[in-house]
């Protein structure tokens, strides 16, 4: 959805509001990309292609609930246009390697198209270019192989994070487990028995202390949740959230 209406939102910040992504797409033009959880029947109306008064009202209510600061930006005409637009399911690209000899190289979305909520698509693509430039400087005869060696671990770690987020978006058991895991980690941080989370390293205060690679972030996160997540999964079942198969799509070359 798009709007040029005035707002108090900071134009220099990309806002993530309960699953909805809000940012300035062009000068004086705000964009909101809503997320749809297939595990929530009350959001199924967003998949429809026809804008009815009831669906527009439902969308207004959902935006107000999820993104109260951004909801006033969009009038009913723009909410109606939302139902005419295509839906992106968030397929994830996963590669075993990033080069084919010295004649073909994968960068950007071709190497690691990630679930939008991961929030790392552009960042990862820019880092691809940086690593490639380093590889060219190091060895022009085998630069693609050097690039693959330096980059593959981080790309695969990013993809694993993206697949985790996508699965939990569509899977009720996964989303409840994730919620309980995050609550436990938050409590652990307040009690000073848990360190920074992957979100802290990717988007939060830890960024001011230095940048970690995706593989470092992923490995630290897996160690951090190694005992919390299994317990959270068992508790999620007690709330009636049965374990179901993930609905993500991964493409491997």
């Amino acid at each position: 959805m798009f709007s040029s209406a005035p707002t108090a939102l900071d134009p220099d910040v990309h806002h993530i509001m309960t699953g909805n992504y809000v940012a300035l797409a062009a000068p004086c033009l705000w964009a909101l990309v809503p997320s749809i959880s297939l595990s929530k029947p009350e959001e199924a109306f967003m998949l429809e292609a026809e804008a009815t008064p009831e669906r527009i009202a439902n969308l207004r209510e959902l935006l107000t609930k999820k993104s109260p600061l951004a909801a006033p930006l969009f009038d009913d005409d723009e909410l109606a246009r939302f139902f005419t637009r295509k839906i992106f399911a968030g397929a994830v690209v996963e590669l075993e390697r990033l080069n084919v000899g010295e004649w073909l190289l994968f960068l950007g979305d071709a190497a690691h198209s990630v679930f939008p909520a991961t929030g790392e698509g552009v960042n990862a693509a820019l880092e691809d270019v940086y690593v490639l430039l380093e590889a060219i400087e190091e060895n022009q005869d085998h630069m693609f192989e050097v690039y693959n060696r330096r980059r593959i671990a981080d790309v695969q770690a990013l993809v694993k994070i993206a697949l985790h987020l996508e699965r939990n978006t569509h899977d009720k058991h996964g989303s409840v487990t994730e919620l309980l895991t995050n609550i436990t980690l938050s409590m652990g941080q307040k009690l000073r028995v848990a360190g920074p989370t992957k979100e802290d390293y990717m988007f939060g205060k830890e960024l001011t202390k230095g940048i970690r690679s995706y593989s470092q972030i992923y490995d630290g996160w897996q160690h951090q949740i190694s005992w919390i997540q299994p317990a959270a999964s068992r508790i999620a079942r007690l709330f009636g959230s049965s374990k179901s198969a993930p609905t993500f799509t991964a493409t491997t070359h």
Side-chain angles (χ1 to χ4, degrees), residues 173 177 181 225-237:
H173 177 267
T177 299
T181 300
I225 66 173
S226 59
W227 66 270
I228 299 175
Q229 196 170 59
S233 179
R234 290 191 290 270
I235 294 172
R237 292 194 188 97

Side-chain angles (χ1 to χ4, degrees), residues 114-199:
V114 295
F115 188 53
T118 312
E120 291 291 330
V122 173
N123 291 343
L126 292 174
E127 190 171 339
D128 289 344
V129 175
Y130 182 82
V131 174
L132 177 59
L133 290 175
E134 287 188 328
I136 293 173
E137 290 182 0
E138 178 180 325
N139 189 331
Q140 293 188 9
D141 293 330
H142 302 283
M143 55 189 176
F144 288 0
E145 188 60 41
V146 172
Y147 170 85
N148 177 73
R149 186 173 65 250
R150 289 189 176 186
R151 191 67 177 140
I152 188 64
D154 286 338
V155 166
Q156 291 179 340
L158 175 61
V159 168
K160 289 175 182 176
I161 293 172
L163 291 174
H164 172 83
L165 291 172
E166 185 178 33
R167 180 179 66 247
N168 290 344
T169 298
H170 303 310
D171 180 82
K172 183 178 180 180
H173 177 267
S175 62
V176 174
T177 299
E178 180 77 353
L179 175 62
L180 294 174
T181 300
N182 289 340
I183 290 174
T184 304
L185 288 175
S186 179
M187 293 173 59
Q189 287 182 315
K190 292 183 181 299
L191 295 172
R192 299 184 183 276
V193 295
T197 64
K198 72 177 186 301
E199 288 78 15

Side-chain angles (χ1 to χ4, degrees), residues 30-251:
W30 285 88
L32 184 149
V33 181
S35 62
I36 304 173
S37 177
L38 300 182
S39 65
K40 298 179 180 179
E42 65 272 18
E43 296 186 6
F45 76 92
M46 298 174 71
L47 299 173
E48 300 295 337
E50 181 181 356
T52 65
E54 180 182 5
R55 289 169 185 161
I56 293 173
N58 288 341
L59 183 55
R60 170 71 63 193
E61 180 181 359
L62 190 63
L63 286 181
T64 302
K65 178 181 177 180
K66 285 189 169 186
S67 311
L69 297 178
L73 279 168
F74 308 98
D75 58 27
D76 285 354
D77 288 340
E78 183 60 20
L79 297 190
R81 284 190 283 270
F82 165 79
F83 293 95
T84 68
R85 292 168 180 148
K86 293 182 179 180
I87 296 173
F88 175 61
V92 175
V93 171
E94 181 181 20
L95 301 181
E96 295 179 355
R97 61 183 297 112
L98 302 173
N99 71 307
V100 179
E102 293 299 316
W103 65 275
L104 181 63
L105 187 70
F106 296 96
L107 300 92
D109 282 351
H112 46 67
S113 177
V114 295
F115 188 53
T118 312
E120 291 291 330
V122 173
N123 291 343
L126 292 174
E127 190 171 339
D128 289 344
V129 175
Y130 182 82
V131 174
L132 177 59
L133 290 175
E134 287 188 328
I136 293 173
E137 290 182 0
E138 178 180 325
N139 189 331
Q140 293 188 9
D141 293 330
H142 302 283
M143 55 189 176
F144 288 0
E145 188 60 41
V146 172
Y147 170 85
N148 177 73
R149 186 173 65 250
R150 289 189 176 186
R151 191 67 177 140
I152 188 64
D154 286 338
V155 166
Q156 291 179 340
L158 175 61
V159 168
K160 289 175 182 176
I161 293 172
L163 291 174
H164 172 83
L165 291 172
E166 185 178 33
R167 180 179 66 247
N168 290 344
T169 298
H170 303 310
D171 180 82
K172 183 178 180 180
H173 177 267
S175 62
V176 174
T177 299
E178 180 77 353
L179 175 62
L180 294 174
T181 300
N182 289 340
I183 290 174
T184 304
L185 288 175
S186 179
M187 293 173 59
Q189 287 182 315
K190 292 183 181 299
L191 295 172
R192 299 184 183 276
V193 295
T197 64
K198 72 177 186 301
E199 288 78 15
D200 290 330
Y201 287 117
M202 294 172 72
F203 312 114
K205 57 186 179 182
E206 294 300 316
L207 279 174
T208 63
K209 301 177 183 179
I211 298 175
R212 289 195 174 193
S213 67
Y214 292 123
S215 55
Q216 289 175 322
I217 293 173
Y218 178 79
D219 290 343
W221 169 54
Q222 289 298 294
H223 176 74
Q224 190 178 49
I225 66 173
S226 59
W227 66 270
I228 299 175
Q229 196 170 59
S233 179
R234 290 191 290 270
I235 294 172
R237 292 194 188 97
L238 296 178
F239 285 92
S241 173
S242 60
K243 191 171 184 179
S244 57
T247 57
F248 58 77
T249 300
T251 302

